[in-house]
Amino acid sequence: MDEKKINNKIMRIIVGDITERNTDAIVNAANNYLKHGGGVAGAIVRKGGYIIQEESDRIGFVPTGSAAITSAGSLKTKYVIHAVGPKWGEGDEENKLKSAVLSSLRKAEEYQLKSISFPAISSGIYGCPKSMVAKILVTTVAEYLKSQSTSLETIEFCLFDEETYRYFKQEFDKI
Ligand code: ADP
């Protein structure tokens, strides 16, 4: 675990299972149709319950680089923010990833949330290099905390394995 204060807000990196986090919201690495099958999405629905998939089906399509919000079923968190990151190779991956993070932060803001936890969006099934994902996620959140007044007091990255954590730690130390 490591954390930094930016504008009196906390940015944190941890190794863990995001489905266990009790932040006000957790972010899901979703696809455009919000069909939560594998990876972190599958884990969220398995643990939180099918209500999350049902609410997602009512939302339907979410463009790449955007985010939508549902309740969180029986998870400890209150909301799941479904962010759609890019697939590696489709083009403009960095901007799309940045946009997915900012859309998630704006959703959290809309709901006046105090804390949010992000996974390493697009770095699993979607195949983006972990170094790029770490750089975009950490710099986007750091810039956000520097430049806005926000309801969010804690923004964390919950990384599933030590290797991903090390990539985030490298970027974190540059802030
Ligand atoms: P994408 O399709 O956007 O790549 P994935 O779910 O395949 O999404 O993976 C995104 C990241 O989430 C990967 O780094 C993967 O290791 C990680 N991940 C998978 N399950 C969990 C979990 N339960 N908690 C936190 N991170 C997870």
Side-chain angles (χ1 to χ4, degrees):
M1 202 273 270
D2 201 352
E3 57 182 42
K4 269 186 203 305
K5 277 215 159 167
I6 302 175
N7 259 342
N8 250 5
K9 315 284 185 170
I10 293 169
M11 179 169 78
R12 176 191 299 141
I13 50 176
I14 60 164
V15 177
D17 179 348
I18 203 164
T19 64
E20 293 295 327
R21 303 304 293 162
N22 65 359
T23 43
D24 288 345
I26 63 169
V27 176
N28 176 24
N31 57 43
N32 294 125
Y33 300 96
L34 303 188
K35 295 297 181 197
H36 312 307
V40 69
I44 286 171
V45 172
R46 276 197 305 279
K47 198 171 284 184
Y50 200 68
I51 178 88
I52 299 171
Q53 184 62 68
E54 285 170 345
E55 283 184 38
S56 298
D57 288 343
R58 269 179 245 133
I59 295 165
F61 187 87
V62 177
T64 305
S66 301
I69 190 165
T70 67
S71 68
S74 57
L75 294 175
K76 291 173 190 159
T77 184
K78 300 188 187 103
Y79 298 97
V80 180
I81 294 176
H82 305 272
V84 183
K87 290 193 188 86
W88 183 243
E90 70 180 35
D92 206 20
E93 293 89 351
E94 298 200 3
N95 284 322
K96 288 173 179 168
L97 193 53
K98 180 172 180 176
S99 166
V101 173
L102 288 174
S103 301
S104 304
L105 293 169
R106 281 189 212 109
K107 276 280 172 230
E109 193 65 47
E110 230 176 88
Y111 281 68
Q112 290 289 296
L113 305 184
K114 290 197 164 70
S115 56
I116 186 170
S117 187
F118 280 89
I121 302 167
S122 287
S123 76
I125 298 162
Y126 279 8
C128 291
K130 289 180 192 297
S131 54
M132 180 277 268
V133 170
K135 180 186 80 181
I136 298 296
L137 266 56
V138 170
T139 56
T140 302
V141 164
E143 277 171 31
Y144 186 83
L145 288 177
K146 275 178 199 157
S147 65
Q148 319 263 128
S149 73
T150 166
S151 65
L152 286 163
E153 292 168 2
T154 303
I155 303 180
E156 71 171 28
F157 300 104
C158 179
L159 296 328
F160 209 35
D161 54 73
E162 292 286 344
E163 189 206 0
T164 310
Y165 181 88
R166 279 196 293 277
Y167 283 104
F168 276 72
K169 171 78 174 145
Q170 264 185 15
E171 296 299 328
F172 197 78
D173 288 343
K174 294 181 195 163
I175 303 297

